[in-house]
Amino acid sequence: MNDRQNRALDTLLSTDAYKLDHRRQYPKGTEFVYSNLTARGTRLADIDATVFFGLQAYLQQLRQRWQVFFDLDPDELDAVLTGYEEFVTALLGPNDIGAEHFRELHALGYLPLRVRAVEEGTLIPLRVPYLTVENTDPRFYWLTNYLETELSAQLWQPITSATLAWRNRALLDERAALSGDEDAVKFQGHEFAYRGMSGTEAAAASGAGHLISFTGTDTLPAIRYIQQYYPGSDGELIGASVPATEHSVMCAGGRDGELQTFDRLLALYPCGTLSVVSDTWNLWRVLTEYLPARADEIKSRSGKLVIRPDSGDPELILCGDPDASVGTPEHKGVVRLLAETFGTVVNGKGFRELDAHVGAIYGDSITYERADSITRNLMDQGFASTAVVFGFGSYTYQYQTRDTFKMAVKATWVQVDGQGRDILKDPITDDGSKKSATGRLAVRRRADGRPYLIEHAEHDPDDELRTVFEDGQLLRTQSFAAVRANLRRQSAIRDQWAGT
């Protein structure tokens, strides 16, 4: 087979093996299957809602992949379906699954599906669906849940990452409102996760989720993901970074030449922000010898030199180790040492800001809990919470699974021989978290703005689940700016939930 045929075959096989014959396992006369995607719970005790994101990208990817199949000419199609049958036989042994259902789908020429969803950027409480999906042609009732595996695989990570970023942003906004520059928070969370993700596609989707709440990123594919799948943001800044060094750069000049490496970098970047990893050998020597020796030059730059520690306990490195000998660099920590060399300014909230020519970023093993402890510690010392930038990497975004928020696609309604049936999953051996909704579903809002689920729903005019995809066509799109704006609105509404 040629490349196009192989891509078409891969599309037909983008599911779990056990789904290959579900078409024949449904009751005779099955015409429609209706499913939903919902976060059923949480492993993070303080999260009661998640950020919906990633569907628009997935639907475009889905349509593009299936179009390769629909564009096959008859001879190409025969070869692909023969390849499908050979693959399935090798996998399952002799069987009667066949491939005529795919031949029939090819003749139709599009995906006969309807997807209804809330707007992306919406905060959805646990156990309330993000979306529903159903077939529109009774011949293809099997297609709805044939796509379950891929739908789950493609959406759980952008939703999870967008939620974690929103959680971090809420923390940093809260601290900045008390102590620092609130406008700086959008750059205070910088995404470093690419190298620790399971691949470029995952890094792009996850990194895009981060960028709903923040603007700092080093994950270039995340920006391309947004440009491709969420265009039309009218010039809004999607993501930004700064010139920065790595350890190989610092090592290349030799241990005895580290100060000269700083000199070379300052000459190379006479203005703007420059981030320098500074613990290649001795962080404390950099802070107590090299920077004081170049203080006048640094303070004369039109820009900021950002010092990046990269090892040790983040809170102790940035805020100081109370168990270290009093007066030592270790006892003072990075922020206090920068303050001693370059000075501070007291802001309108009574907290000290580092001189605008210097800053600090820490990007190793930062978590919500560590960001919480570090900002609290800084404020206890009189510093603004925005004195440091956090690099959120794979320790934040890859140490997650589909079960972080117990995400699942489940069917809740079928139609057999013209009769609708409400169905549900409710295992007696479970704690109740796996119990599914039932019937056709709708999402409404309470008086306080909190979305809630309605079961056994039909044609609800107040339903926030709106058709976004039908019969191969994407019917509703959002720009990334609109997704961001929606989350800001939803966050304001979310604050009302807590008070009701």
Side-chain angles (χ1 to χ4, degrees):
M1 291 191 294
N2 59 35
D3 179 66
R4 184 164 75 154
Q5 289 170 301
N6 276 307
R7 285 187 287 136
L9 179 57
D10 288 342
T11 296
L12 301 187
L13 295 171
S14 293
T15 191
D16 283 318
Y18 83 125
K19 290 187 174 291
L20 295 172
D21 206 21
H22 286 177
R23 175 178 58 91
R24 297 192 301 159
Q25 296 174 16
Y26 282 103
K28 185 178 180 180
T30 299
E31 298 162 321
F32 296 97
V33 176
Y34 173 95
S35 292
N36 75 101
L37 173 65
T38 299
R40 300 177 297 183
T42 178
R43 290 179 173 175
L44 304 175
D46 63 328
I47 292 185
D48 63 356
T50 59
V51 180
F52 180 51
F53 177 65
L55 177 65
Q56 184 168 303
Y58 169 64
L59 290 174
Q60 292 178 74
Q61 295 164 350
L62 182 74
R63 185 174 59 173
Q64 291 164 5
R65 286 199 300 273
W66 277 91
Q67 194 59 50
V68 174
F69 170 72
F70 292 127
D71 287 343
L72 295 174
D73 64 36
D75 289 339
E76 289 177 315
L77 177 64
D78 287 342
V80 168
L81 296 186
T82 296
Y84 174 84
E85 290 185 300
E86 290 174 348
F87 183 98
V88 172
T89 298
L91 178 74
L92 300 177
N95 62 80
D96 297 318
I97 293 175
E100 286 307 303
H101 52 304
F102 284 121
R103 189 179 298 278
E104 192 173 26
L105 182 59
H106 181 271
L108 183 66
Y110 59 84
L111 287 172
L113 295 172
R114 179 182 301 113
V115 180
R116 292 170 59 80
V118 299
E119 288 189 332
E120 298 195 34
T122 300
L123 278 169
I124 293 293
L126 301 174
R127 304 197 70 80
V128 175
Y130 308 111
L131 63 87
T132 63
V133 56
E134 62 188 310
N135 59 296
T136 59
D137 186 318
R139 295 174 296 171
F140 303 104
Y141 60 88
W142 54 269
L143 186 59
T144 298
N145 271 20
Y146 195 87
L147 298 178
E148 172 197 348
T149 308
E150 184 180 64
L151 178 67
S152 177
Q154 292 289 84
L155 290 186
W156 77 260
Q157 190 151 49
I159 292 171
T160 300
S161 294
T163 303
L164 297 175
W166 164 71
R167 181 190 189 215
N168 287 325
R169 177 65 189 259
L171 168 70
L172 298 179
D173 277 339
E174 176 187 315
R175 297 291 160 79
L178 296 172
S179 70
D181 178 6
E182 293 170 67
D183 289 337
V185 177
K186 64 183 177 182
F187 291 106
Q188 195 179 7
H190 196 94
E191 198 253 308
F192 284 147
Y194 187 178
R195 69 191 59 194
M197 303 303 287
S198 58
T200 296
E201 184 177 307
S206 172
H210 169 89
L211 287 170
I212 302 175
S213 292
F214 294 103
T215 308
T217 185
D218 263 33
T219 302
L220 305 184
I223 298 174
R224 293 293 295 141
Y225 175 100
I226 292 164
Q227 290 173 334
Q228 182 173 359
Y229 299 120
Y230 295 85
S233 294
D234 299 324
E236 178 173 296
L237 180 63
I238 295 172
S241 189
V242 300
T245 70
E246 65 180 16
H247 288 292
S248 66
V249 171
M250 306 308 293
C251 287
R255 183 189 295 263
D256 295 335
E258 189 174 19
L259 179 57
Q260 287 68 43
T261 298
F262 269 88
D263 289 338
R264 180 166 52 80
L265 292 168
L266 291 170
L268 183 62
Y269 301 100
C271 60
T273 301
L274 167 65
S275 175
V276 180
V277 63
S278 300
D279 69 334
T280 300
W281 292 295
N282 190 332
L283 172 68
W284 308 122
R285 186 176 186 185
V286 169
L287 288 160
T288 60
E289 295 182 28
Y290 298 162
L291 297 188
R294 298 294 184 266
D296 291 342
E297 182 178 351
I298 292 168
K299 294 189 74 169
S300 68
R301 289 182 75 245
S302 177
K304 178 181 290 189
L305 175 65
V306 178
I307 298 303
R308 179 164 72 91
D310 195 40
S311 55
D313 182 302
E315 183 175 359
L316 300 182
I317 299 298
L318 290 171
C319 303
D321 183 352
D323 294 329
S325 298
V326 175
T328 62
E330 293 86 348
H331 183 262
K332 295 178 179 180
V334 171
V335 173
R336 204 186 330 174
L337 289 171
L338 288 173
E340 288 181 354
T341 298
F342 296 95
T344 60
V345 175
V346 177
N347 64 26
K349 298 170 182 176
F351 288 82
R352 289 186 291 163
E353 304 269 5
L354 290 174
D355 180 273
H357 295 92
V358 291
I361 182 171
Y362 202 106
D364 183 61
S365 301
I366 293 295
T367 62
Y368 175 91
E369 291 75 19
R370 283 176 169 166
D372 181 10
S373 295
I374 290 166
T375 52
R376 189 186 305 275
N377 193 329
L378 289 172
M379 291 170 64
D380 287 344
Q381 294 185 48
F383 290 104
S385 64
T386 50
V388 299
V389 171
F390 297 107
F392 293 108
S394 56
Y395 201 70
T396 291
Y397 292 122
Q398 181 64 5
Y399 272 51
Q400 312 298 330
T401 72
R402 180 174 69 97
D403 287 329
T404 297
F405 299 118
K406 302 182 181 181
M407 227 164 282
V409 176
K410 296 299 172 189
T412 61
W413 181 89
V414 297
Q415 181 174 306
V416 181
D417 291 329
Q419 297 296 313
R421 297 178 182 176
D422 295 348
I423 62 174
L424 79 159
K425 171 184 177 180
D426 188 11
I428 194 172
T429 53
D430 183 55
D431 61 4
S433 63
K434 287 190 175 182
K435 181 180 180 180
S436 66
T438 186
R440 298 184 69 86
L441 310 176
V443 175
R444 289 186 190 171
R445 287 186 183 267
R446 303 189 189 281
D448 62 3
R450 184 184 182 97
Y452 68 99
L453 165 67
I454 295 179
E455 300 174 302
H456 316 293
E458 287 285 350
H459 309 298
D460 187 337
D462 297 320
D463 189 2
E464 296 212 2
L465 297 170
R466 303 292 174 86
T467 302
V468 296
F469 181 91
E470 186 165 347
D471 292 341
Q473 299 301 312
L474 194 61
L475 302 180
R476 187 183 76 184
T477 61
Q478 296 172 255
S479 69
F480 196 66
V483 176
R484 279 175 164 168
N486 190 32
L487 180 56
R488 287 195 293 271
R489 289 192 299 271
Q490 300 293 319
S491 296
I493 293 171
R494 168 66 183 80
D495 291 340
Q496 299 176 25
W497 303 357
T500 59

